[in-house]
Amino acid sequence: MRHLPLATLFALSLTPVFPGLPRSAENDQMTRSVHPVIFRTAEESARVAAVTAPPTDFSRPEPFEANPAGAATVRARSDADAFSQPSGNMSFERELDFKLGNGLFKKLWVSSPSSTLASDGLGPLYNARSCQRCHLKDGRGHPPEGPEDDAVSMFLRVSVPAMDHVEVSDIEAFLLSLGDETQRTRPDPVYGGQLQDFGVAGQVAEYRLAVDWDETPVEMTGETATLRRPVWRAEDLGYGPLAPGAMLSPRVAPQMIGLGLLEAIPAADILSREDPSDADGDGISGRAQIVWSFEHDQPMLGRFGWKAGAATVREQSAAAFAGDIGISTPLFPDPWGDCSEAEAACRTAPHGDGDDRGTEIDAQGLDLVTFYSRNLGVPARRDFDTPDVLRGKQMFHEAGCPACHTPKFVTDRMEGQPEQSFQLIWPFTDLLLHDMGEGLADNRPEGRASGREWRTPPLWGIGLTPQVNGHSYYLHDGRARSLLEAVLWHGGEAQAARDRVTRLSPEDRAALIRYLESL
């Protein structure tokens, strides 16, 4: 178990930065106001330690392994709706809110002015007309598959280095107080924080996403694989060149299942795995992302997004409405979304915030989408007890994968969220940032994350991607065409684990992939 860095401990003792951590009565009360939890008893803590301990016997499944989301687990459907079911422990009464949220998640927004006042406000610049258009069937997006395929389920983030004279933000000041030296960035002065490839009538889209692929063979024991390296380009720029030093980062829409359970993992359990200076010498030095929460107006632990740039499901949802669809919310009320002051036509175009809603989606609508997103159920494991999958599980552990892809946590006891409360879950992530090497580097810092760091993505449900989304593209930009390719792209802190996989026999490597497919 890793030790919490001294600087972080000091910060935690002074401010309610990470909900869920025990502290003084005063700070505890402030914490409860943003993330109501009931702290564990000593007896419960002992039970949690026992049930989350690493396995020692790979001849049979562990207790409860079949249910990765605890009581919230849903049956494993055999169709494309496997990721679209409500939490298995949801009451009938709460299912209505889930279905209403689902309707808003699928809703196609239209441009303003429109006679459908409840649905107008799209853009004016945007990446998709609905949440579902990016998170296809609540699953993964994919890169363009050819010249005629658009990039509706992915986009490019953009930022530029911050000048020395630029005012330091609240979160930057906080990170500096912790000794963090990650390069500071700002949105592009014209194109903002991400590039939008669609515009409503009369608006010029910002760009067209293009990519070239360069294939490289990788030798392994007994077989050869081929990796494709992407070169991403922003073509047909609609508002002039990008700023000097602009940094682009491709982002595929991730799957949506289990988000509320990830939000319910105690922050103390995540922070206990931090080891930024690799004090234990295992080569793994995960760091917690720290972000400014616009929802709670304070620094918080980042959990969501490819670089853990959002603290809560509600904030992640609101940010997607603003950046991806151009829809204003109470958290991000600008009706023009990500349009900068330099994009005057976008800012002065008709918007949908002039009616009783106040913003283009109001607080009630945002809450319903958040509830839906928190409660997309994780399907039950398949074939978890077969000999080849159990052998693959042993390979997974012997290769060192659990050092980042932490199999098990127990969630907090939470007021008002019975579906997520005190569940043994198997997400296979530590939610920390890790240096993944030069091969996966986007060279674009985000908050505390460097240009080589990414948050460990959850693995639950990953084997159902072909069934749900009709493809097998993985990683932040969809470059990996199989789970094996995804493993082979690992570098940096994961280099040793990746190399162990290449040295496995073909039979053991196939068993490892079967294990991943069973998750």
Side-chain angles (χ1 to χ4, degrees):
M1 190 61 70
R2 302 175 176 88
H3 298 289
L4 200 60
L6 182 60
T8 306
L9 275 173
F10 179 71
L12 295 179
S13 70
L14 297 178
T15 61
V17 181
F18 302 106
L21 279 178
R23 61 197 73 205
S24 69
E26 179 182 0
N27 278 341
D28 180 50
Q29 184 58 42
M30 287 190 288
T31 296
R32 288 175 185 274
S33 70
V34 300
H35 189 84
V37 301
I38 304 169
F39 294 120
R40 296 171 186 161
T41 65
E43 180 183 356
E44 286 175 341
S45 296
R47 288 170 52 204
V48 168
V51 78
T52 57
T56 57
D57 179 4
F58 296 98
S59 65
R60 58 184 178 181
E62 296 173 76
F64 316 114
E65 191 171 356
N67 296 319
T73 304
V74 298
R75 68 183 179 90
R77 296 177 59 134
S78 58
D79 58 18
D81 290 323
F83 289 169
S84 302
Q85 305 172 76
S87 298
N89 54 352
M90 182 179 289
S91 68
F92 177 78
E93 292 76 15
R94 289 166 70 89
E95 281 192 32
L96 177 59
D97 285 344
F98 180 86
K99 291 175 180 177
L100 289 171
N102 185 19
L104 291 171
F105 194 82
K106 294 179 177 179
K107 180 180 189 174
L108 292 175
W109 294 86
V110 299
S111 59
S112 299
S114 170
S115 59
T116 56
L117 295 181
S119 298
D120 71 340
L122 175 67
L125 301 178
Y126 63 96
N127 295 108
R129 290 183 58 196
S130 73
C131 308
Q132 186 78 211
R133 289 288 179 94
C134 286
H135 301 279
L136 308 170
K137 302 297 288 184
D138 304 300
R140 299 171 185 270
H142 60 82
E145 296 182 304
E148 304 304 317
D149 188 20
D150 59 33
V152 72
S153 58
M154 74 176 300
F155 59 80
L156 292 177
R157 289 211 184 279
V158 59
S159 55
V160 298
M163 300 294 101
D164 291 339
H165 65 275
V166 174
E167 183 179 356
V168 176
S169 67
D170 289 339
I171 188 60
E172 288 170 336
F174 182 81
L175 292 176
L176 286 170
S177 75
L178 300 182
D180 187 84
E181 298 179 352
T182 305
Q183 178 186 4
R184 294 189 295 124
T185 64
R186 291 291 183 272
D188 184 277
V190 173
Y191 289 93
Q194 73 184 61
L195 296 175
Q196 283 85 26
D197 50 355
F198 292 102
V200 301
Q203 298 291 325
V204 178
E206 289 185 325
Y207 84 121
R208 179 176 60 85
L209 179 65
V211 61
D212 291 324
W213 302 100
D214 180 26
E215 300 208 351
T216 305
V218 176
E219 297 297 328
M220 301 176 291
T221 299
E223 55 187 331
T224 302
T226 303
L227 301 184
R228 59 174 189 171
R229 181 185 299 275
V231 178
W232 299 98
R233 303 189 309 279
E235 296 191 341
D236 302 335
L237 290 165
Y239 299 86
L242 295 166
M247 298 168 278
L248 299 175
S249 180
R251 303 294 173 86
V252 167
Q255 65 185 31
M256 297 285 294
I257 59 174
L259 297 184
L261 294 164
L262 296 178
E263 189 177 47
I265 297 172
D269 290 353
I270 297 170
L271 293 169
S272 69
R273 302 189 63 80
E274 264 201 307
D275 187 15
S277 59
D278 192 20
D280 61 6
D282 67 352
I284 308 298
S285 50
R287 300 195 303 156
Q289 175 69 288
I290 304 173
V291 300
W292 188 264
S293 171
F294 293 90
E295 181 178 1
H296 300 303
D297 196 31
Q298 65 178 41
M300 289 179 67
L301 173 67
R303 300 175 188 242
F304 302 105
W306 286 105
K307 295 208 176 196
T312 69
V313 175
R314 188 171 189 264
E315 193 156 353
Q316 176 79 347
S317 300
F321 269 118
D324 301 349
I325 315 178
I327 296 297
S328 61
T329 67
L331 286 183
F332 302 108
D334 291 339
W336 49 75
D338 188 49
C339 294
S340 70
E341 292 182 3
E343 296 171 314
C346 174
R347 289 223 175 182
T348 58
H351 300 293
D353 62 343
D355 52 50
D356 292 342
R357 290 172 293 172
T359 51
E360 290 163 335
I361 185 169
D362 59 16
Q364 182 181 29
L366 179 60
D367 286 345
L368 287 168
V369 172
T370 301
F371 184 79
Y372 174 75
S373 301
R374 276 194 181 122
N375 282 286
L376 283 164
V378 179
R381 291 275 306 279
R382 290 86 46 215
D383 303 325
F384 65 96
D385 56 353
T386 61
D388 58 341
V389 168
L390 290 172
R391 179 63 177 167
K393 178 181 177 181
Q394 184 174 354
M395 298 301 98
F396 183 83
H397 281 263
E398 290 183 356
C401 304
C404 300
H405 289 285
T406 307
K408 294 176 281 186
F409 288 96
V410 173
T411 60
D412 265 322
R413 289 193 181 277
M414 304 176 64
E415 297 176 4
Q417 292 180 225
E419 295 85 5
Q420 288 82 43
S421 184
F422 208 55
Q423 301 295 323
L424 171 63
I425 63 173
W426 305 67
F428 294 88
T429 176
D430 58 8
L431 295 179
L432 295 176
L433 300 171
H434 293 277
D435 181 338
M436 294 301 294
E438 191 59 35
L440 286 178
D442 67 347
N443 299 310
R444 176 185 172 273
E446 181 179 325
R448 202 183 186 196
S450 74
R452 291 165 56 107
E453 287 181 309
W454 300 93
R455 182 208 66 164
T456 306
L459 297 182
W460 50 13
I462 195 167
L464 291 171
T465 299
Q467 174 184 309
V468 171
N469 295 124
H471 66 74
S472 56
Y473 300 137
Y474 306 100
L475 301 178
H476 66 280
D477 56 5
R479 68 176 68 187
R481 295 163 294 188
S482 68
L483 291 173
L484 178 59
E485 286 188 25
V487 171
L488 294 177
W489 271 110
H490 284 48
E493 296 174 42
Q495 184 72 43
R498 176 259 190 206
D499 291 347
R500 293 186 194 106
V501 171
T502 65
R503 294 193 294 267
L504 292 174
S505 69
E507 294 77 17
D508 282 345
R509 196 159 40 243
L512 170 64
I513 299 305
R514 281 287 296 117
Y515 174 65
L516 296 176
E517 291 171 344
S518 77
L519 298 181

